[in-house]
């Protein structure tokens, strides 16, 4: 049997492939010779640039000149029918209510809501707490509240009088009317009952003086006409003013048809003519008037809680606060001296129906009563030592209230711009600012308005004391002219030096108090900045760890 043995070897081990051809070609191996390096100059490094893209020549191009054109655009609120005056609040509210009662209203809203909801969800998709700029100091979400005095409007009369009411003009609030009246009129013998209209930008001199025959308790601008005002007088009468016709009242109601007590509450109501208003007083009567016929009221309502049908003035409960919301129409509210708030309807057929809704709001007289400008069903009451927020949908109790204050509250009002903010004033001259979104147990800002006036009174008292001392010294010198003439110049110099020293000491004391207040504020700011810096450092350390 034949024996075979096969040898296998990979092609890669055979070496270079042999190509046979008829060309004269010889391949030899030349090894490197290090000695030949001395004949060459070594260049290290050697750079060679390559460009794969196309090469273009350099050239310049001048663009077309842009032409600008100024155009004006006037924006008007649209969507209203031609027979609807969009500037009349009553007509627009009625039209909205009519549209909301339409059968297609809900169907139309269901078609419009998905697209709006999609945009809202897109906005909510971003992380509002993400720190895009880590090196920037973080601003607190709730800024520290502060206030500053812009202008001070002083009564031109030297007699000390109270400001019983303020009313802002409807033309963007450029002016305001202030009624001055000394409520305790038995202690004064002055016959000057002037009230003033002030311009906001001119605190030095009043814009106009209103001269009534008796003190004015309240002044109210017409919301549709900045030249017309109404007022309640100490005699119980109401008066109408037109600043275009002078400083005297153009019309006054008759005494026999007016209030029995001083009229301290007047408000305009929403009417087509813009001439109707109503008034209230401690006699328990609400009277509706028309400025075109001021002698007699158009309607009278007596607040008799026991027997409303009898309309007995002798048993009426005094009205201490009055409120009217133009968007609600015939509805009105009044606060009584026994702490009850009445939500009334002028269209009620009987007096009992007009004052059917009642709230037991305060333990004492309701001093202030005002609806929230946005949520009109919620209203604020101020009385005794507390303020309370109520809702017409919840009559059993209030929905929010403030803790009891040490000092008696004298008034309150909602903010016109921030709907969670309202203001309270106290008898000690303090203005408290409350914001229920930030905190509910204490005000966010408390301003002592009487500090400035206290310092001013001290300066005036020092000047009067100095004047009395000078007069006394001059009198003594006059009596001693015939006894010792040579001592008169020295005594004058001594009295002048003593008075000047007293005045200088008082000025130095005021300056020192002012400097102490500034230093305390600066120290507090440094402490706040230090605490915020430490918090930021701690947060950065936590993030790094």
């Amino acid at each position: 049997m034949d024996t075979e043995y096969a040898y296998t070897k990979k092609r890669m081990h055979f070496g270079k492939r042999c190509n046979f051809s008829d060309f004269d070609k010889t391949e030899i191996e030349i090894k490197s010779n290090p000695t030949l390096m001395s004949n060459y100059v070594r260049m290290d490094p050697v750079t060679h640039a390559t460009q794969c893209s196309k090469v273009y020549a350099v050239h310049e191009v001048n663009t077309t000149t842009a032409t600008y054109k100024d155009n004006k655009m006037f924006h008007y609120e649209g969507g209203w029918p031609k027979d609807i005056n969009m500037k009349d609040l009553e007509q627009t509210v009625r039209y909205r209510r009519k549209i909301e009662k339409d059968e297609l209203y809900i169907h139309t809203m269901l078609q419009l809501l998905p697209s709006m909801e999609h945009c809202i969800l897109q906005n909510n998709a971003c992380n509002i707490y993400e720190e895009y700029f880590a090196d920037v100091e973080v601003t607190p979400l709730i800024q520290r509240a502060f206030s500053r005095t812009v202008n001070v409007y002083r009564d031109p009369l030297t007699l000390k009088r109270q400001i019983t009411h303020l009313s802002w003009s409807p033309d963007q609030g450029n002016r305001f009317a202030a009624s001055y009246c000394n409520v305790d009129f038995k202690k004064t013998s002055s016959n000057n009952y002037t009230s003033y209209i002030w311009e906001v930008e001119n605190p030095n001199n009043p814009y106009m003086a209103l001269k009534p025959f008796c003190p004015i308790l309240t002044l109210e601008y017409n919301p549709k006409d900045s030249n017309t005002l109404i007022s309640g007088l100490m005699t119980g009468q109401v008066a109408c003013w037109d600043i275009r016709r002078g400083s005297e009242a153009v019309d006054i109601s008759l005494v026999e048809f007016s209030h029995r007590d001083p009229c301290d509450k007047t408000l305009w109501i929403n009417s087509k003519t813009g001439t109707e208003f109503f008034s209230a007083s401690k006699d328990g009567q609400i009277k509706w008037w028309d400025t075109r016929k001021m002698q007699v009221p158009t309607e009278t309502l007596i607040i008799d809680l026991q027997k409303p049908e009898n309309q007995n003035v002798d048993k009426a409960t005094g009205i201490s606060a009055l409120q009217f919301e133009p968007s609600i129409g015939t509805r009105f509210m009044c606060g009584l001296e026994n702490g009850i708030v009445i939500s009334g309807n002028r269209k009620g057929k009987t007096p009992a129906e007009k004052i059917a809704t009642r709230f037991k709001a305060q333990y004492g007289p309701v001093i202030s009563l005002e609806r929230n400008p946005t949520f009109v069903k919620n209203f604020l009451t101020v009385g005794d030592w507390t303020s309370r927020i109520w809702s017409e949908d919840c009559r059993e109790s209030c929905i929010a209230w403030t803790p009891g204050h040490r000092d008696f509250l004298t008034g309150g009002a909602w903010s016109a711009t921030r709907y969670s903010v309202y203001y309270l004033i106290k008898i000690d001259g303090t203005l408290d600012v409350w914001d229920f979104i930030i905190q509910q147990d204490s005000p966010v800002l408390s301003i002592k308005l009487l500090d400035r006036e206290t310092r001013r009174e001290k300066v005036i008292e020092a000047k009067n004391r100095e004047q009395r001392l000078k007069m006394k010294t001059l009198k003594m010198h006059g009596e001693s002219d015939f006894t010792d003439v040579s001592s008169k110049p020295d005594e004058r110099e001594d009295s002048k030096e003593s008075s000047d020293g007293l005045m200088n000491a008082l000025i130095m004391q005021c300056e020192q108090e002012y400097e102490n207040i500034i230093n305390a504020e600066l120290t507090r700011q440094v402490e706040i900045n230090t605490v915020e810096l430490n918090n930021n450092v701690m947060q950065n350390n936590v993030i790094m760890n």
Side-chain angles (χ1 to χ4, degrees), residues 34-204:
T35 59
L36 299 177
M37 291 293 295
S38 59
N39 300 330
Y40 299 93
V41 179
R42 183 177 179 84
M43 298 178 64
D44 188 21
V46 178
T47 304
H48 179 70
T50 59
Q51 178 62 266
C52 297
S53 62
K54 296 181 180 180
V55 179
Y56 294 93
V58 179
H59 60 281
E60 295 180 357
V61 176
N62 188 14
T63 59
T64 305
T65 304
T67 304
Y68 297 94
K69 183 180 179 181
D70 296 333
N71 293 325
K72 296 181 179 180
M73 180 179 66
F74 296 95
H75 174 72
Y76 294 97
E77 183 178 358
W80 298 102
K82 294 182 179 180
D83 57 341
I84 299 296
N85 184 10
M86 64 181 180
K87 296 182 179 180
D88 192 341
L89 183 60
E90 183 179 2
Q91 294 185 17
T92 55
V93 170
R94 288 180 180 176
Y95 184 74
R96 288 193 184 98
R97 292 179 179 175
K98 179 181 177 182
I99 294 298
E100 290 175 357
K101 294 180 181 179
D102 194 356
E103 297 180 356
L104 298 177
Y105 174 74
I106 298 177
H107 179 70
T108 305
M109 293 301 295
L110 291 177
Q111 291 181 342
L112 297 176
L113 284 176
S115 58
M116 181 179 66
E117 186 179 7
H118 173 71
C119 297
I120 295 175
L121 293 177
Q122 282 185 335
N123 293 334
N124 294 337
C126 64
N127 183 10
I128 63 175
Y129 298 102
E130 182 178 355
E131 295 184 5
Y132 296 96
F133 306 97
D135 56 338
V136 179
E137 183 179 357
V138 180
T139 304
L141 296 178
I142 301 175
Q143 297 183 356
R144 184 178 65 88
F146 67 94
S147 68
R148 63 185 180 91
T149 302
V150 179
N151 288 324
V152 178
Y153 307 87
R154 301 190 185 280
D155 188 357
L157 298 182
T158 57
L159 178 67
K160 292 184 179 180
R161 302 184 298 171
Q162 301 175 6
I163 296 179
T164 55
H165 188 73
L166 290 176
S167 177
W168 291 92
S169 63
D171 52 351
Q172 300 179 355
N174 296 325
R175 301 171 187 167
F176 65 91
S179 59
Y180 295 83
C181 175
N182 194 343
V183 179
D184 192 6
F185 59 91
K186 295 181 180 179
K187 295 183 179 181
T188 179
S189 59
S190 175
N191 294 326
N192 195 338
Y193 309 125
T194 307
S195 293
Y196 300 98
I197 297 177
W198 297 86
E199 283 186 334
V200 177
E201 301 298 334
N202 184 16
N204 299 321

Side-chain angles (χ1 to χ4, degrees), residues 407-408 410 425-431 447-451:
D407 300 296
F408 193 79
T410 57
I425 53 176
K426 296 185 288 187
I427 198 171
D428 64 342
T430 304
L431 171 65
I447 310 167
K448 189 74 172 178
L449 297 177
L450 290 182
D451 286 346

Side-chain angles (χ1 to χ4, degrees), residues 489-511:
D490 297 335
E491 291 179 359
R492 288 182 177 178
E493 291 178 0
D494 295 339
S495 62
K496 182 178 180 181
E497 291 178 358
S498 62
S499 61
D500 292 342
L502 179 62
M503 192 63 187
N504 293 333
L506 182 59
I507 293 175
M508 292 178 62
Q509 180 182 357
C510 295
E511 291 178 351

Side-chain angles (χ1 to χ4, degrees), residues 312-415:
N312 191 352
V313 181
D314 297 331
K315 296 183 179 181
T317 305
I319 301 172
S320 55
L322 194 63
Q323 193 279 330
F324 177 76
E325 174 59 37
S327 62
I328 301 181
T330 59
R331 299 285 297 277
F332 66 92
M333 298 186 75
C334 60
L336 307 183
E337 290 186 327
N338 58 0
I340 295 177
V341 171
I342 293 178
S343 178
N345 189 354
R346 189 182 176 187
K347 286 188 176 180
K349 297 181 179 180
T350 62
E353 294 179 358
K354 294 180 180 180
I355 58 174
T357 307
R358 305 177 186 180
F359 300 85
K360 181 58 181 176
Q362 306 289 151
Y363 294 105
V366 180
I367 298 174
S368 292
L369 174 64
E370 188 173 352
R371 289 184 183 269
N372 189 286
T374 303
F375 308 100
V376 293
K377 286 189 176 182
N378 300 336
F379 58 92
L380 170 70
T381 62
V382 178
D384 45 69
W385 288 268
T386 60
S387 64
R388 305 172 189 269
I389 299 177
W390 301 78
S391 175
E392 290 187 342
D393 298 332
C394 180
R395 304 181 184 179
E396 289 76 13
S397 63
C398 57
I399 58 178
W401 63 91
T402 59
H405 295 78
R406 290 180 177 270
D407 300 296
F408 193 79
L409 299 178
T410 57
W414 288 100
S415 171

Side-chain angles (χ1 to χ4, degrees), residues 291-306:
T291 56
R292 296 173 297 183
K293 187 179 180 181
M294 285 280 294
Q295 287 74 21
V296 181
T298 59
E299 186 180 349
T300 300
L301 176 63
I302 299 176
I303 308 299
D304 187 358
L305 301 180
Q306 302 296 330

Side-chain angles (χ1 to χ4, degrees), residues 253-308:
S253 63
L254 298 177
V255 176
E256 55 268 25
F257 298 106
S258 302
H259 294 278
R260 296 185 175 185
D261 286 342
C263 178
D264 55 353
K265 300 291 181 296
T266 56
L267 285 176
W268 292 91
I269 62 176
N270 196 7
S271 61
K272 294 182 178 180
T273 59
T275 58
E276 298 182 16
F277 68 97
F278 68 136
S279 62
S281 175
K282 299 294 191 301
D283 62 353
Q285 297 183 87
I286 299 177
K287 294 179 179 291
W288 281 265
W289 307 83
D290 194 325
T291 56
R292 296 173 297 183
K293 187 179 180 181
M294 285 280 294
Q295 287 74 21
V296 181
T298 59
E299 186 180 349
T300 300
L301 176 63
I302 299 176
I303 308 299
D304 187 358
L305 301 180
Q306 302 296 330
K307 297 180 180 179

